[in-house]
Amino acid sequence: MEWSVIAENGSVRDGIDSKGKLMSRNMRGRFAPSPSGRMHLGNAWAALLAWLDLRKLNGTMVLRMEDLDPDRCRPEYAEGLLEDLRWLGLDWDEGPDRGGPHQPYSQSERPHLYQAAFDLFDKQGLIYPCFCSRAELRSIASAPHAGESGLVYKGCCAELSPHAQQLKRFSGKQSAYRLRVGDTNIKFCDQVLGRQEQLLKESCGDFVIRRTDGVYAYQLAVVVDDAAMGINRVLRGADLLASTPRQIYLWQLLGSVPPTFIHVPLLMGSDGARLSKRHGSLSIAELRRLGVKAEVIVGYLAFLAGLTNQPEPVRASELIASFSLGKLPVDPVIVENEFSQELLALS
């Protein structure tokens, strides 16, 4: 399938009326979890804010499973995510369980679309095989936070001759594939964090779009899916801010207009590290088993987001009318280690 057909059929953009006001009738957003574990408070935080943003705009919410990595993602986790979202009062209009005009809604069923984009870049001479060590590449394809380790690819394999590539393959080396970035400088305005700018060759260098085992990289898959599904508004965690310029670059190469990006701060433990089990971050399913009510979790998250004055039980639907991006904090939100006990007390 030609990529131009995919992009044209899927592209939907924000409209501006005669008074300069944003029109939301075609607004399409998504929540795209990776089913590599059960949902935790940090996942619920991003899901709730994305849901409130779309519902306030009367937009369409798409649920997509980003299950690219067969080593980490499991069907039971995907089912658990659906269950947890429903219990929290967060619904969606299109998704793996509901279907929709852009199905399938699981990345494991969409590799033909990623291949179409890959072939397009190949024809344009934008990709090349990379034989660098697996130690450098292991986290790039499956983790959306690729590049946060500080590694900037220096182009070691960028100019290998066909003969040199053949010799490496004869020696038993497998290749990933990288996308050339050249001197591309990406600028965009985030709706929460403001103006952003990144020179790709200095921040990440040529980046992987397919890893050595043939699995397509997150950066490529997420852009292909968003473009094909007409996603024009993306609210997600600030940990993905650094990868956004790479995705905008891919949008440009595919001839599509990037969505509006909104990066919200992360929930952090009192030690300054991203919220995890060591901070007492029980899964939503475990909190539910212990007797914590959905309205308590939603109310607690709403308080952390600046949407309410105190952590009191509230349904997600009751927050829609007063939701505003302007109320959200910019800096990481510190959660005390004993928050699970606090939730239990509120229940």
Side-chain angles (χ1 to χ4, degrees), residues 115-233:
Q115 184 65 49
F118 183 93
D119 292 342
L120 174 65
F121 299 151
D122 192 22
K123 291 177 182 178
Q124 296 174 341
L126 291 172
I127 62 175
Y128 61 88
C130 173
F131 299 89
C132 295
S133 69
R134 185 173 178 81
E136 179 186 353
L137 305 176
R138 77 179 67 168
S139 65
I140 293 180
S142 61
H145 319 104
E148 67 180 7
S149 62
L151 290 174
V152 177
Y153 187 68
K154 300 299 184 181
C156 305
C157 298
E159 304 304 330
L160 286 179
S161 67
H163 178 64
Q165 293 175 15
Q166 190 175 39
L167 288 176
K168 285 184 176 292
R169 290 194 173 98
F170 281 152
S171 70
K173 287 195 172 184
Q174 300 294 317
S175 68
Y177 283 87
R178 291 183 180 270
L179 182 71
R180 300 181 189 275
V181 301
D183 294 320
T184 304
N185 189 43
I186 299 294
K187 300 179 182 180
F188 69 101
C189 185
D190 183 85
Q191 297 299 295
V192 169
L193 301 179
R195 294 189 178 277
Q196 307 291 323
E197 181 175 358
Q198 188 180 106
L199 183 61
L200 294 182
K201 70 179 181 181
E202 293 183 356
S203 63
C204 61
D206 299 340
F207 57 92
V208 170
I209 59 172
R210 195 171 77 187
R211 69 187 194 187
T212 55
D213 60 1
V215 174
Y216 292 95
Y218 165 83
Q219 308 293 358
L220 176 66
V222 71
V223 172
V224 168
D225 288 338
D226 281 348
M229 294 180 180
I231 302 301
N232 52 28
R233 192 171 180 87

Side-chain angles (χ1 to χ4, degrees), residues 285-300:
E286 180 64 12
L287 289 170
R288 180 181 182 182
R289 188 189 70 79
L290 292 172
V292 178
K293 297 179 180 179
E295 293 83 359
V296 167
I297 295 176
V298 170
Y300 183 70

